[in-house]
Amino acid sequence: MLRALKEWGELYKQEIKPYETPEADYVIIIELDDQGNYQEVSVEEFSSEKLDKYLFRKAQGSNPPTETPTLFLNLEDIGKSIGNLIKANNNLKKKSGSVPEIKIEQLKERIIKDIEACIHNKKNKYLLTVRFGKKYIGEIKEYRECLERSLQHEYKVKHICAVCGQEKNVSYRIPFKFLTYDKPGYFVGWFEGKTKDQFYSNSPICFDCYEKMRIAREKLEDLKFNLAGVKYLFIPEALKKDTLQKIKEKLFDPLGKFSLKQIDKAMLENELSFLVQEGIFLSLSDLLDEYEISGNKDFDFLSIFRKLKDVVWGHFLFIKREQSREIIELYIEEVFPSRINQLFGIKEYIEKADFVKDFDYEKIRKFFDRMEDFYVVVDATFRGTKIADGYIFRVLMEKLRKYVLELEDRTIPEYSQIMEAMAVYLFIKLSTEGLKMEKVNKPESLRQMFEWIEKLPMVKSGEDWKIALMLFGFLTEHLMDKQIKERGSKPFLKKLKGLKMNWENFLGLLPELRQKLEEYELYDYPSVKTLFGELSERLLRAEKPKATIEELNFYFVAGMGIYAKFKGLIYRKDEEVQS
């Protein structure tokens, strides 16, 4: 991953500067005279053309948060920001006595009031900096030179760089904040007595590689890709640098020019047409046609990535930020476009089978709403690795129990949470186990409905118990639909034991279901008799399955879910005449 990040950063070699690009609305300036004495406070609109003048550069730590006296203003504690500004300047002055002194410590309260007078909207982001005699710190030679020396002062030890493989002066710094050095077991070698200068053994990185990785991360994070609302960093990689350069110029640079909500489709198509001619991009058909899988209705990067040829691939990095610390929640390496295209194919199958109208990862996150659970599914579906059925059913049934049991006085709609759960389960199974996607047409008779169930990828050949439980759920919902119409409630719902029934419970419930069907004069319909006969035969001839309670009840609830879709196969006019 780090090597891929460095190679991407090499494409921005001309843009590597000692300063960074903050996002702010305004800049509040503490005006000083040439000797560093306080004059006044001024404010101006933030300008990206003045980045070299602001000379903003984050520090590795948080005390102070920047290398220079330019930092984000803490609106809740302005005094702390002023203190950090002074501290950052003092740190530079220790490394170079030629850096001017800032003499405002005794006037802090007055400066706080002057700054407060410049803040008209606390929703805005403000940078805080200083000027000496109307000169920005970036216009002062001593600051520029001292910053560059400061950035390299930790690179003291000669060692082989872990990224480029060359012998250079190295440090332990990487452009992420998830390495820990203050506890035993977190780096190579003995812990006691280690100093910062010796931490390089864990991640020896030269300054040149560090800067390339830093600019690469900055550029890639500007794109703000997300999956079901969860931001991720996408790091492209290719065998040839020339291919990577073309991807940058014709795909990533155009995406970086726009908010992802305002993509210029014509411009992007024009750029990508070059990649088609170069044999890197497959097709411009259906580009940005809102056919997405990430859950982003405005723009889905994956819908474009899937159309690249496998001469390019990428790394997906999901990072959690906690103050100044970063935690890798999920890292998926070397994902190829063809793999993402397979996921789109499964999405299309699910939608054509009419489980849901629009399937995406937002549907998955609806059930796997704990981040650790969602990441398990994302990792498995992107890489094609199996997830234990017991785990999937436990998570799905946790939501479905609540959903079904809360519908005490309502029927289950055609496109219900149950159908969404079936779609999620199918997507996981098809993407992680390579199951066959048989075409399933909408049934026009009960016999065709039985075949429809048998062809579902979630029902394997000879698994009569799954078909039986789905038919069981179907007939149960048919009965409760009648109860709603006649009584306004579903008394039979109480017989379902909170949807925690075991195999013996289902066997015991079968005669009770028939009794109620007869009581409500539903059993007289030939279609109901056919359904009940098919259900009974399959249930009674099936051996007791080695399935968890969650799995048994999932198939039962799935049957309840498809009732609204196929109930027209029961109520037919010829049957009404016979009854």
Side-chain angles (χ1 to χ4, degrees):
M1 178 191 76
L2 293 181
R3 189 170 287 111
L5 197 63
K6 175 247 184 182
E7 289 172 357
W8 188 253
E10 285 180 342
L11 306 180
Y12 295 90
K13 193 178 294 184
Q14 302 302 318
E15 297 183 43
I16 297 177
K17 309 290 182 184
Y19 52 83
E20 295 175 346
T21 307
E23 290 185 6
D25 301 299
Y26 295 94
V27 180
I28 291 179
I29 305 167
I30 300 176
E31 302 283 4
L32 310 172
D33 62 18
D34 291 335
Q35 284 72 46
N37 299 305
Y38 178 66
Q39 301 289 299
E40 62 180 348
V41 168
S42 64
V43 62
E44 66 181 27
E45 286 191 9
F46 174 82
S47 172
S48 58
E49 294 179 1
K50 292 184 177 180
L51 293 175
D52 59 334
K53 296 180 179 180
Y54 301 143
L55 213 62
F56 175 89
R57 177 69 182 238
K58 290 179 186 175
Q60 289 291 334
S62 58
N63 187 24
T66 54
E67 295 280 354
T68 66
T70 298
L71 65 157
F72 281 105
L73 179 63
N74 183 342
L75 297 177
E76 303 301 321
D77 193 344
I78 295 174
K80 183 177 181 180
S81 293
I82 294 173
N84 281 330
L85 182 146
I86 296 170
K87 192 178 293 184
N89 196 73
N90 290 341
N91 286 347
L92 287 178
K93 193 163 181 61
K94 289 175 185 176
K95 295 164 188 172
S96 174
S98 58
V99 168
E101 185 179 355
I102 296 176
K103 305 169 185 176
I104 60 174
E105 186 72 46
Q106 304 304 318
L107 299 171
K108 187 181 287 187
E109 294 304 317
R110 176 185 164 188
I111 296 172
I112 290 173
K113 289 180 180 179
D114 290 348
I115 290 175
E116 288 175 340
C118 296
I119 299 169
H120 302 295
N121 187 346
K122 288 200 170 186
K123 290 183 179 179
N124 289 327
K125 281 187 175 181
Y126 295 86
L127 275 186
L128 180 65
T129 189
V130 295
R131 282 198 302 202
F132 292 84
K134 298 299 181 180
K135 280 188 177 181
Y136 294 93
I137 60 173
E139 295 176 307
I140 300 173
K141 178 183 176 182
E142 288 80 5
Y143 273 106
R144 296 195 305 271
E145 292 179 347
C146 188
L147 174 60
E148 291 187 5
R149 286 199 300 272
S150 175
L151 295 175
Q152 297 190 47
H153 83 281
E154 289 181 345
Y155 295 80
K156 301 174 181 176
V157 181
K158 280 276 187 184
H159 201 276
I160 302 297
C161 173
V163 177
C164 66
Q166 297 180 31
E167 186 176 23
K168 294 183 178 180
N169 286 351
V170 298
S171 174
Y172 61 93
R173 302 290 189 192
I174 63 173
F176 298 95
K177 296 179 180 178
F178 47 67
L179 293 182
T180 302
Y181 298 101
D182 58 353
K183 296 180 179 66
Y186 280 79
F187 60 85
V188 178
W190 186 245
F191 175 74
E192 289 185 19
K194 287 273 187 181
T195 64
K196 275 191 175 183
D197 292 341
Q198 297 169 297
F199 290 164
Y200 71 88
S201 60
N202 206 50
S203 54
I205 308 291
C206 71
F207 181 72
D208 186 47
C209 286
Y210 175 85
E211 285 295 285
K212 289 173 182 176
M213 291 189 291
R214 180 186 64 81
I215 191 71
R217 179 180 181 181
E218 183 179 302
K219 294 293 184 180
L220 292 170
E221 282 195 333
D222 284 345
L223 296 171
K224 297 181 174 65
F225 296 145
N226 77 81
L227 185 69
V230 183
K231 290 181 181 179
Y232 63 84
L233 189 70
F234 178 82
I235 307 170
E237 191 172 9
L239 283 176
K240 296 181 179 179
K241 188 174 181 179
D242 179 56
T243 302
L244 211 56
Q245 182 72 41
K246 291 171 183 175
I247 291 293
K248 171 192 173 292
E249 293 177 358
K250 300 300 179 180
L251 176 56
F252 283 84
D253 284 353
L255 290 180
K257 292 177 183 177
F258 298 93
S259 159
L260 294 184
K261 294 182 179 180
Q262 300 171 328
I263 293 293
D264 187 322
K265 181 179 177 182
M267 186 277 292
L268 187 58
E269 284 186 344
N270 182 57
E271 298 286 357
L272 292 177
S273 63
F274 173 80
L275 297 182
V276 174
Q277 295 169 12
E278 292 290 307
I280 298 172
F281 201 76
L282 293 173
S283 168
L284 294 178
S285 63
D286 303 322
L287 186 67
L288 298 178
D289 59 355
E290 298 184 0
Y291 193 63
E292 53 81 27
I293 199 170
S294 293
N296 307 319
K297 303 308 177 188
D298 298 310
F299 170 79
D300 183 7
F301 169 69
L302 296 183
S303 67
I304 292 180
F305 177 66
R306 73 185 179 111
K307 293 188 176 185
L308 288 166
K309 286 191 175 181
D310 282 352
V311 293
V312 180
W313 58 94
H315 306 261
F316 290 78
L317 189 61
F318 294 80
I319 300 174
K320 179 181 178 181
R321 293 173 175 82
E322 291 182 349
Q323 297 178 338
S324 62
R325 192 164 67 106
E326 294 178 330
I327 302 168
I328 294 181
E329 298 275 87
L330 176 63
Y331 169 52
I332 314 173
E333 62 180 332
E334 297 183 352
V335 179
F336 285 85
S338 58
R339 174 59 189 170
I340 299 300
N341 198 43
Q342 287 175 358
L343 299 182
F344 272 87
I346 297 168
K347 164 190 165 70
E348 184 179 3
Y349 171 80
I350 288 171
E351 291 170 355
K352 284 185 176 179
D354 205 27
F355 286 96
V356 293
K357 291 293 186 185
D358 184 13
F359 184 84
D360 54 38
Y361 274 87
E362 196 70 59
K363 297 281 192 305
I364 294 174
R365 196 177 175 196
K366 183 175 180 178
F367 292 93
F368 293 80
D369 54 358
R370 288 184 288 267
M371 288 311 301
E372 58 267 32
D373 291 331
F374 180 63
Y375 285 136
V376 166
V377 177
V378 173
D379 184 45
T381 53
F382 272 45
R383 294 195 297 116
T385 55
K386 188 176 179 180
I387 306 178
D389 274 349
Y391 170 73
I392 302 172
F393 290 127
R394 176 179 61 77
V395 174
L396 294 179
M397 283 306 300
E398 185 179 318
K399 296 286 189 298
L400 292 182
R401 283 192 183 99
K402 183 178 180 181
Y403 174 74
V404 173
L405 297 176
E406 285 180 350
L407 293 173
E408 292 181 310
D409 55 356
R410 290 168 290 156
T411 55
I412 296 172
E414 182 176 353
Y415 293 103
S416 64
Q417 195 175 112
I418 299 171
M419 298 302 291
E420 290 178 348
M422 290 176 70
V424 168
Y425 181 65
L426 274 174
F427 184 81
I428 293 173
K429 297 294 282 185
L430 290 170
S431 61
T432 60
E433 297 185 23
L435 301 181
K436 187 177 179 181
M437 292 186 283
E438 286 193 51
K439 186 177 180 181
V440 286
N441 297 316
K442 186 174 181 178
E444 297 181 0
S445 67
L446 283 180
R447 183 52 54 190
Q448 287 181 7
M449 187 182 83
F450 300 154
E451 293 172 359
W452 183 89
I453 294 173
E454 287 175 343
K455 286 183 178 180
L456 290 177
M458 55 201 270
V459 178
K460 295 178 183 177
S461 177
E463 291 184 318
D464 280 330
W465 67 272
K466 290 183 179 179
I467 301 170
L469 289 179
M470 289 186 70
L471 295 177
F472 207 148
F474 187 94
L475 265 181
T476 299
E477 186 61 22
H478 180 49
L479 167 64
M480 292 194 293
D481 186 30
K482 182 73 169 178
Q483 289 181 328
I484 284 284
K485 290 174 182 175
E486 291 192 2
R487 305 180 54 163
S489 63
K490 299 187 283 191
F492 199 74
L493 190 62
K494 296 177 181 178
K495 299 277 188 181
L496 306 185
K497 298 184 181 296
L499 294 174
K500 294 182 180 180
M501 294 178 283
N502 58 31
W503 184 249
E504 287 73 22
N505 295 147
F506 283 111
L507 294 176
L509 189 63
L510 187 62
E512 293 188 55
L513 175 61
R514 171 163 179 170
Q515 179 186 341
K516 287 297 179 181
L517 290 171
E518 291 175 346
E519 183 181 320
Y520 282 86
E521 298 181 350
L522 294 172
Y523 195 74
D524 293 336
Y525 285 89
S527 55
V528 174
K529 285 184 178 178
T530 301
L531 266 169
F532 191 85
E534 187 78 16
L535 153 63
S536 302
E537 182 181 345
R538 288 181 182 271
L539 192 70
L540 296 174
R541 79 182 178 203
E543 294 183 8
K544 181 178 179 179
K546 295 178 180 179
T548 63
I549 286 176
E550 280 78 11
E551 184 174 3
L552 294 173
N553 286 270
F554 174 81
Y555 283 98
F556 178 78
V557 170
M560 296 173 72
I562 65 173
Y563 172 74
K565 188 174 291 295
F566 301 140
K567 65 181 179 181
L569 302 177
I570 294 182
Y571 286 122
R572 297 201 310 266
K573 289 183 179 179
D574 59 329
E575 289 192 346
E576 290 173 7
V577 172
Q578 292 177 35
S579 63

